[in-house]
Amino acid sequence: MPQDPPFPPVEGRSTRQKRAVWAALASVDGFVSAKTLHHRLEERGDDVALATVYRFLQSQLEAGTVDSLLNPDDGEALYRICAAQTHHHHLVCRECGIATEFKVPEIDRLARTVAVNEGFSETVLTFDVFGICPACQSPSNHVD
Amino acid sequence: MPQDPPFPPVEGRSTRQKRAVWAALASVDGFVSAKTLHHRLEERGDDVALATVYRFLQSQLEAGTVDSLLNPDDGEALYRICAAQTHHHHLVCRECGIATEFKVPEIDRLARTVAVNEGFSETVLTFDVFGICPACQSPSNHVD
DNA sequence: TCGTAAATGAGAATCAGTCGCTATACTAGT
DNA sequence: ACTAGTATAGCGACTGATTCTCATTTACGA
C-alpha cells in the first residue's frame, strides 16, 4: 500500500474507496457512466458500492475536479476528470466516450449577450457536440 | 395562452388522447416535462396514461412539431410546441420554463468546424442557455 | 489508543421513461 | 350500413438510473 495516493483529489477523508474510484476514472480516456466505472472497479477487484461511486462523483463535480455531461440519447450522466477549471466545451464520441475539449470564447460571448438582452440572470450554457470519432468510424479500431 | 392549436398536429389516427395532450401542450407557454403535462391533463379531467403522453411527445418530436431539451439540473426531458423547423437554440427559464428561441448561425458553423477538424461524423449539437427570466426574478411575479 | 464525525454498504425508494398485451379506430368487402 | 381484418393506440407493469436511509465501519486529531 503506497503511502500517498498518486493524485489526492480527495476532499474530506481519504479512503480506499475514494482512491479507487479516482484511479479508475483516471485510467479512462473519455467520459464514462457511473455504472461503467463501477464495473471497472469490480474488474480490478476493488469493492466499492455503486452508491459510493455516485457520491464521490457528485462531490468531485462540486469541487470542480470532474466534469459531467448528459448523454443526449438516454439522459445518462457521464463523467471524466477535468482539471481545466476554465470554461470549455466538449466534442464527445457517442460510441467510446473519447472527448476533446475546446473553447470558443465567441460562442460564450454571443450566448451571454442573448441572455442579457432578454433580461435573464444566472445563466448556464450547455454546449457540447456529440458524434462518432474517427476510430469508431473504422470497424477495425472500434472500441466499445 | 392565446390561440387554439394552430394545426392538427396529430399524425396517424386522431384520438381523444392525442388531441388532449396537444391542447395541454399548446396551453403552456414554455417547456414542460411529460410529468407536468400529465398533471395538467388530470386537472382538466382528461384521462390519458403517462405512457401515452410520452409516446405522443416522441412521435411529435420525430415529426418536428415539438422541440425537446434536457434540463441540466436533473436530466429530465422538457418539451414544447415548436413550429420552426429550422435549426435554433433556446434561452430557457429554469423556474417557469418560458423560452425564447434564437439563432446564431456562427455558433453552429464554428462547432461543426471543430467537429470536422477532429474527424467526427454524425455530429449533433446540444446548445441551450438556462437562466432565470425577468418575471421570475421579481418575487411578486414569480410563477412556479 | 480513544472518541467522534464522516464515510460506506446494502438495499429500499424514487422517478423518468419503455414494453407487451389488450382495446379500439379505420378500411375494405358485402 | 354491418362486419371482419389489421394496424395503431392505450394502459398497467416493468426497467434502469440515481438517491436516500440508516446501521456499521473507518479515518484521524487529541
Side-chain angles (χ1 to χ4, degrees):
Chain A
M1 179 61 58
Q3 36 218 352
D4 285 327
F7 336 88
V10 208
E11 50 174 19
R13 296 179 180 172
S14 171
T15 66
R16 172 185 68 77
Q17 290 89 337
K18 287 179 180 176
R19 288 189 296 268
V21 177
W22 180 264
L25 196 55
S27 74
V28 175
D29 275 330
F31 279 88
V32 280
S33 66
K35 189 181 56 179
T36 303
L37 210 48
H38 187 239
H39 281 153
R40 303 236 176 193
L41 287 164
E42 284 185 336
E43 286 169 9
R44 289 164 171 243
D46 283 317
D47 259 337
V48 181
L50 184 56
T52 300
V53 173
Y54 274 107
R55 268 190 297 240
F56 177 76
L57 290 171
Q58 196 55 45
S59 68
Q60 293 307 117
L61 204 53
E62 281 158 17
T65 53
V66 312
D67 239 5
S68 82
L69 49 82
L70 293 172
N71 183 334
D73 294 331
D74 55 10
E76 188 182 37
L78 304 176
Y79 305 84
R80 82 160 189 176
I81 291 175
C82 184
Q85 291 282 9
T86 61
H87 191 63
H88 62 270
H89 308 289
H90 298 100
L91 174 60
V92 186
C93 176
R94 73 165 66 90
E95 286 293 330
C96 66
I98 283 279
T100 307
E101 298 180 3
F102 65 93
K103 297 183 190 185
V104 193
E106 303 142 78
I107 290 179
D108 301 286
R109 193 159 19 78
L110 286 166
R112 300 275 178 214
T113 302
V114 172
V116 167
N117 287 347
E118 298 285 337
F120 276 58
S121 65
E122 299 175 45
T123 53
V124 175
L125 305 186
T126 68
F127 179 34
D128 293 291
V129 184
F130 292 81
I132 310 292
C133 75
C136 288
Q137 284 167 42
S138 40
S140 51
N141 298 336
H142 190 100
V143 181
D144 180 47
Chain B
M1 44 222 67
Q3 72 280 18
D4 272 357
F7 35 72
V10 207
E11 51 173 18
R13 298 175 182 174
S14 172
T15 64
R16 174 184 67 77
Q17 289 88 339
K18 286 183 179 177
R19 288 189 297 269
V21 177
W22 181 265
L25 196 55
S27 75
V28 174
D29 276 329
F31 279 89
V32 280
S33 66
K35 189 181 54 180
T36 302
L37 212 46
H38 187 240
H39 281 154
R40 305 236 176 194
L41 288 164
E42 284 186 337
E43 287 168 9
R44 288 164 172 246
D46 284 318
D47 258 337
V48 181
L50 183 57
T52 300
V53 174
Y54 274 108
R55 210 184 347 219
F56 176 77
L57 290 172
Q58 196 55 46
S59 67
Q60 293 307 116
L61 204 53
E62 281 158 18
T65 54
V66 311
D67 239 6
S68 82
L69 50 81
L70 291 174
N71 182 334
D73 293 331
D74 53 13
E76 189 180 35
L78 304 175
Y79 305 84
R80 81 162 189 176
I81 292 175
C82 184
Q85 291 281 9
T86 60
H87 190 63
H88 61 271
H89 308 289
H90 299 98
L91 173 60
V92 187
C93 176
R94 73 165 69 91
E95 287 292 331
C96 66
I98 284 280
T100 306
E101 298 180 2
F102 65 93
K103 297 184 191 182
V104 192
E106 303 145 74
I107 289 180
D108 303 285
R109 194 157 16 79
L110 286 166
R112 300 275 176 213
T113 302
V114 171
V116 168
N117 287 347
E118 298 284 336
F120 276 58
S121 64
E122 298 175 47
T123 54
V124 174
L125 306 186
T126 68
F127 179 34
D128 294 290
V129 183
F130 292 81
I132 310 292
C133 76
C136 289
Q137 282 166 43
S138 40
S140 51
N141 300 334
H142 190 101
V143 182
D144 181 43

